Amino acid sequence: MLKVGLIVNPYAGSGGRIGLKGSDNIRVENPEIPSRVERFLRSVGDFSFYVPKGKMGESYFLKINKKRVIIDAGGDNSSSDDTVKSSEILSEIVDIIVFVGGDGTARDVAKGLKRDIPILGVPGGVKMHSGVFASSPETAGFLISLFSLNEAKIKKAEILDVDEDEYRKGKYVTKLFAIATTIDYQGVTVPSKEEIRTEEEDLQGIAEEVIANIRDAYYIMGPGYTVKFIERKLGYSTSFLSTDLFNGKKLIKENVSYSDLLQITGELFVIVSPIGGQGFLFGRGNQEIGPEVLRRSGKNNIIVVASKQKIEKLNCLWIDTGDVEVDKMLRGVYKVIIGYNEYYAIQTCSMTLE
């Protein structure tokens, strides 16, 4: 029987909903982590799991009855050192290590490996620029099942991370920390983030198209260079990474949190640009735009903007809001604004290997 190691970082992603753009050094448990672990465990087959103590693994099996062995590592009040130690122990006894967290967790898992075995991330962080993450907890579960049947592809992927202090200032300084072995099937392991250069002329056309159609309503402006260019054309200079709230063409609040956005009453639009190379529309770097906000806006009020260079490199758009029902609601085809009166149709990716 396949031996699967599972390491959970209960603090991963805690900065996402509150607009901090990362969770390094934030000692607050993310209340959404248990549901992501549960989604993974319910979608994966009945294998032998090897897990650290407490909230790093053991605790989640009290609700889901699967065979598990508790290793001598981890606990409730865990640190990155606990992740490294857990990886060290697990890498010598299991066939693959699954971890729940973000880029920082991926770094720690890779650092602890005593031998070259595959690792696979269940997305639970804020950034997740590395290429070792499944697109959702469910696809991670399916991938492990396929791996047990020798049907998953073994490949090498980058583990990237950024300096969060610089990142919060709007400076995207990324560093390659490791090349790890991971698994994939039909592209459901998401590639590492890629920076796409966009000509200002293209951005000018996108901004003109968006601004010409702004109504008397609320507009959530997501992070990223393309959306911030639109804001600059409206006369505002905000952080490259912030999610901002507008009423028509007027800025109401910069760098909003999820709780801020939940206070909105009235017609609501969301303007976002997918992540270059990865294609995530929601769930990577814009967790402030959470599932309840998107449920209120609805799919038809989501305005997607991107340069032609960026969108043509993507096969589809990924959505991972944290709520499976909202993810399903947002599936379909999006008409992406790529210039003045220019559009590009692209569909969402399948959420599972169906």
Side-chain angles (χ1 to χ4, degrees):
M1 180 178 286
L2 186 72
K3 296 179 179 179
V4 181
L6 176 63
I7 300 173
V8 179
N9 178 0
Y11 303 100
S14 55
R17 299 294 190 209
I18 57 178
L20 288 184
K21 302 303 176 185
S23 304
D24 292 356
N25 304 317
I26 299 176
R27 299 297 293 173
V28 177
E29 290 184 20
N30 182 352
E32 297 182 30
I33 288 294
S35 68
R36 287 188 172 267
V37 179
E38 182 178 339
R39 285 168 59 187
F40 165 71
L41 289 174
R42 290 194 184 281
S43 63
V44 74
D46 289 322
F47 304 114
S48 293
F49 287 90
Y50 291 73
V51 298
K53 299 174 183 176
K55 293 178 181 177
M56 284 192 71
E58 176 186 11
S59 300
Y60 310 97
F61 288 82
L62 299 176
K63 188 174 182 180
I64 297 177
N65 186 24
K66 287 183 181 288
K67 184 178 179 181
R68 71 273 191 188
V69 175
I70 312 303
I71 65 170
D72 187 20
D76 288 340
N77 187 27
S78 61
S79 66
S80 68
D81 289 341
D82 292 306
T83 301
V84 173
K85 181 181 178 182
S86 298
S87 179
E88 289 175 350
I89 296 172
L90 290 172
S91 64
E92 295 189 308
I93 57 177
V94 301
D95 303 304
I96 187 169
I97 294 177
V98 178
F99 66 92
V100 183
D103 287 325
T105 312
R107 284 174 55 183
D108 292 335
V109 171
K111 182 179 178 181
L113 294 176
K114 290 296 187 181
R115 63 188 179 98
D116 185 17
I117 63 169
I119 65 174
L120 179 65
V122 173
V126 176
K127 304 179 298 292
M128 292 168 287
H129 297 332
S130 304
V132 296
F133 289 94
S135 58
S136 70
E138 287 77 16
T139 52
F142 282 118
L143 278 169
I144 294 300
S145 297
L146 290 172
F147 180 65
S148 72
L149 300 172
N150 294 318
E151 293 181 11
K153 175 185 175 183
I154 303 292
K155 70 173 189 178
K156 295 293 184 180
E158 298 176 326
I159 292 184
L160 306 173
D161 205 355
V162 299
D163 183 319
E164 286 194 0
D165 290 333
E166 293 299 309
Y167 192 57
R168 289 173 184 138
K169 295 175 186 175
K171 297 178 182 178
Y172 181 73
V173 181
T174 185
K175 183 178 178 181
L176 175 64
F177 283 89
I179 300 293
T181 301
T182 189
I183 59 175
D184 192 17
Y185 180 81
Q186 296 183 358
V188 295
T189 302
V190 182
S192 54
K193 185 180 186 295
E194 179 183 358
E195 287 297 295
I196 308 294
R197 178 178 173 81
T198 303
E199 298 298 329
E200 186 161 318
E201 182 180 347
D202 297 327
L203 295 175
Q204 183 71 34
I206 292 170
E208 289 176 1
E209 179 68 18
V210 171
I211 292 171
N213 290 282
I214 287 180
R215 297 158 43 179
D216 182 16
Y218 288 103
Y219 286 82
I220 298 170
M221 301 278 201
Y225 190 72
T226 305
V227 180
K228 296 310 149 191
F229 188 89
I230 297 170
E231 292 189 35
R232 286 204 300 275
K233 286 299 175 181
L234 289 170
Y236 300 97
S237 180
T238 60
S239 168
F240 170 78
L241 297 165
S242 70
T243 295
D244 309 313
L245 178 62
F246 281 69
N247 190 341
K249 298 178 182 179
K250 181 181 179 182
L251 177 64
I252 300 299
K253 186 173 183 180
E254 181 181 354
N255 197 32
V256 294
S257 66
Y258 185 31
S259 60
D260 290 331
L261 296 178
L262 288 174
Q263 308 306 311
I264 299 172
T265 57
E267 189 175 19
L268 174 63
F269 291 83
V270 180
I271 301 179
V272 286
S273 186
I275 292 179
Q278 291 186 328
F280 269 93
L281 203 56
F282 297 107
R284 303 291 186 274
N286 60 5
Q287 283 94 337
E288 304 91 343
I289 312 174
E292 273 308 309
V293 172
L294 293 166
R295 196 190 303 274
R296 294 179 190 181
S297 73
K299 178 179 179 295
N300 291 338
N301 281 11
I302 294 172
I303 300 167
V304 184
V305 295
S307 68
K308 188 175 181 181
Q309 300 97 307
K310 177 192 280 189
I311 206 70
E312 284 185 340
K313 288 191 173 186
L314 302 176
N315 295 320
C316 55
L317 299 175
W318 289 107
I319 293 172
D320 181 22
T321 67
D323 186 305
V324 175
E325 293 306 312
V326 174
D327 290 349
K328 290 178 181 178
M329 181 191 80
L330 299 180
R331 291 185 190 181
V333 176
Y334 285 84
K335 190 170 69 170
V336 182
I337 298 173
I338 61 172
Y340 185 71
N341 203 26
E342 287 187 85
Y343 298 88
Y344 185 102
I346 185 170
Q347 65 181 4
T348 52
C349 309
S350 172
M351 295 297 108
T352 61
L353 306 179
E354 53 195 15

